[in-house]
């Protein structure tokens, strides 16, 4: 069985790389005219490197959540799983990177249930952190957003938080009447300790905030647009686009969703040409960051998690 899963994973990775190359070439052809000099080259390199660094943050959050759930995973092991599976998001459906995380985690000895719970918690942290940056951006600089976009986005973010709270309340209510639900929540509560959630939230909050500075560099060096004073406006808009591209099913790696949101939010301020250029450059840098991460993770061979260590860690965590 493991042999078939191994080859299935290789086939999925190959298909994902094919879709990656297709989307990369289509994005490259859409870049409008820009300044080609040392500054623009360095700004582009910065965006690619930062995109790759964000995956280290993703691996760190995954490690934090899994350790909270009783899995003594190391950072290199988490990075290998995240880095090798992320390329799967370029397959149509926008779910295969999650499937890859579960499959690769199982190969290393992580129970599928714990991987799924970790992914669910990870997704919630990303959405809440990105939504926080976007929402605060509206409050700090409402004049930078058109009224219709601000109103629609506030409603969407409020609705998203409301749905999340409904799911939490529903789980709590079900636990009062069903023993299996209560037992499942008991097994999973370690993933959602306040310390783990706060640390994970802080990591993604920093990631989204720094994206605003990266966008400011791109606009300045590629199209001579000075928005350093409005970096939070850029951070909030990009966070909103990133989150919507992340949660909308079907679009490979959020392609099309994020660019549409960026055009809707930034065009009134930057103009359509500059906004399109920023969206395409950020898409290409993200794609190259994905590829760089995949190449690094594919070179790692961190081995499996020892089941006895996992059991001991789980018992220690339960006793704390």
């Amino acid at each position: 069985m493991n042999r078939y899963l191994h080859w299935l994973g290789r086939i999925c990775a190959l298909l994902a790389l094919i879709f990656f190359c297709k989307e990369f070439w289509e994005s490259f052809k859409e870049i409008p005219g820009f300044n080609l000099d040392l500054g623009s080259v360095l700004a582009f390199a910065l965006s690619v490197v930062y995109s790759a660094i964000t995956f280290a943050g993703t691996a760190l959050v995954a490690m934090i959540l899994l350790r909270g759930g009783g899995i003594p995973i190391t950072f290199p092991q988490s990075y290998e799983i995240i880095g090798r599976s992320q390329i799967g998001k370029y397959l149509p459906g926008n779910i295969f990177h999650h499937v890859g995380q579960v499959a690769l985690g199982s190969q290393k000895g992580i129970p599928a249930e714990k991987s799924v719970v970790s992914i669910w918690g990870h997704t919630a942290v990303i959405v809440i952190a990105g939504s926080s940056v976007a929402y605060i951006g509206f409050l700090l600089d409402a004049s930078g957003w058109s009224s219709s976009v601000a109103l629609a986005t506030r409603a969407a973010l409020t609705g998203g938080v409301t749905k999340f709270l409904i799911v939490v309340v529903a789980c709590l209510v079900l636990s009062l009447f069903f023993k299996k639900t209560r037992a499942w929540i008991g097994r999973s509560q370690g993933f959602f300790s306040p310390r783990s959630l706060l640390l994970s939230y802080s990591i993604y909050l920093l990631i989204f905030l720094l994206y605003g500075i990266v966008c400011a560099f791109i606009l300045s060096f590629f199209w001579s647009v000075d928005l350093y004073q409005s970096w939070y406006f850029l951070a909030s808009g990009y966070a909103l686009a990133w989150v919507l591209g992340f949660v909308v099913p079907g679009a490979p790696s959020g392609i099309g969703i994020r660019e549409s949101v960026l055009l809707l939010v930034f065009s009134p301020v930057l103009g359509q040409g500059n906004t399109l250029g920023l969206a395409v450059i950020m898409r290409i840098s993200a794609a190259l960051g994905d590829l760089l991460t995949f190449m690094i993770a594919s070179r790692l061979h961190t081995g499996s998690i020892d089941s006895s260590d996992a059991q001991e860690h789980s018992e220690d965590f339960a006793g704390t």
Side-chain angles (χ1 to χ4, degrees):
M1 178 62 71
N2 288 335
R3 180 182 178 184
Y4 292 116
L5 289 175
H6 175 75
W7 281 105
L8 180 61
R10 286 181 174 269
I11 293 173
C12 289
L14 178 61
L15 291 175
L17 287 172
I18 293 174
F19 276 97
F20 166 86
C21 293
K22 173 179 175 293
E23 298 298 341
F24 178 84
W25 177 246
E26 290 181 355
S27 297
F28 185 80
K29 293 189 296 183
E30 294 177 0
I31 301 177
F34 58 90
N35 302 324
L36 183 57
D37 52 26
L38 179 60
S40 61
V41 172
L42 291 177
F44 179 70
L46 172 67
S47 65
V48 174
V49 171
Y50 182 69
S51 178
I53 290 175
T54 61
F55 283 106
T58 299
L60 181 59
V61 171
M63 183 193 74
I64 291 171
L65 295 177
L66 284 169
R67 282 189 173 184
I71 303 297
I73 188 172
T74 64
F75 177 76
Q77 289 172 327
S78 180
Y79 188 89
E80 181 183 357
I81 294 172
I82 295 296
R84 289 177 60 188
S85 62
Q86 283 299 313
I87 201 71
K89 66 186 179 183
Y90 288 92
L91 290 172
N94 202 21
I95 61 169
F96 289 98
H97 52 305
H98 296 316
V99 176
Q101 288 180 37
V102 175
L104 291 172
S106 296
Q107 292 179 7
K108 291 189 175 297
I110 302 175
E113 178 186 352
K114 289 186 178 291
S115 290
V116 171
V117 174
S118 174
I119 291 171
W120 185 88
H122 206 147
T123 301
V125 168
I126 292 175
V127 172
I128 293 174
S131 300
S132 299
V133 174
Y135 196 83
I136 294 174
F138 297 145
L139 298 179
L140 292 179
D141 188 17
S143 61
W145 307 82
S146 65
S147 58
S148 58
V149 173
L151 182 62
T153 307
R154 287 176 182 175
L157 295 179
T158 302
V161 173
T162 302
K163 291 178 181 178
F164 174 76
L165 292 176
I166 290 175
V167 171
V168 173
V169 172
C171 289
L172 293 176
V173 172
L174 288 174
S175 68
L176 297 176
F177 299 98
F178 298 97
K179 291 184 178 180
K180 290 186 177 180
T181 304
R182 187 161 56 249
W184 179 82
I185 292 177
R187 293 194 304 270
S188 305
Q189 63 181 354
F191 289 94
F192 310 116
S193 67
R195 179 178 177 275
S196 296
L197 292 178
L198 181 59
L199 185 56
S200 301
Y201 174 81
S202 300
I203 291 172
Y204 273 110
L205 197 65
L206 179 62
I207 287 175
F208 283 121
L209 289 175
L210 290 179
Y211 261 123
I213 298 177
V214 173
C215 288
F217 272 108
I218 293 295
L219 288 169
S220 177
F221 287 102
F222 274 78
W223 296 283
S224 302
V225 177
D226 186 3
L227 278 179
Y228 290 111
Q229 300 298 323
S230 303
W231 68 271
Y232 198 98
F233 167 72
L234 297 173
S236 58
Y238 189 82
L240 173 65
W242 200 98
V243 168
L244 291 179
F246 180 75
V247 299
V248 173
S253 188
I255 292 174
I257 304 298
R258 291 173 185 165
E259 287 74 14
S260 298
V261 175
L262 288 176
L263 283 171
L264 182 65
V265 174
F266 287 160
S267 289
V269 177
L270 303 177
Q272 187 168 354
N274 291 333
T275 302
L276 178 61
L278 174 64
V280 173
I281 290 295
M282 294 302 289
R283 167 58 61 189
I284 292 176
S285 63
L288 291 177
D290 289 341
L291 183 60
L292 178 60
T293 301
F294 176 76
M295 292 172 63
I296 295 173
S298 297
R299 300 291 297 175
L300 296 176
H301 303 285
T302 56
S304 301
I305 299 172
D306 186 75
S307 58
S308 60
D309 289 342
Q311 179 66 27
E312 180 180 352
H313 187 87
S314 179
E315 292 175 353
D316 290 344
F317 182 85
T320 59

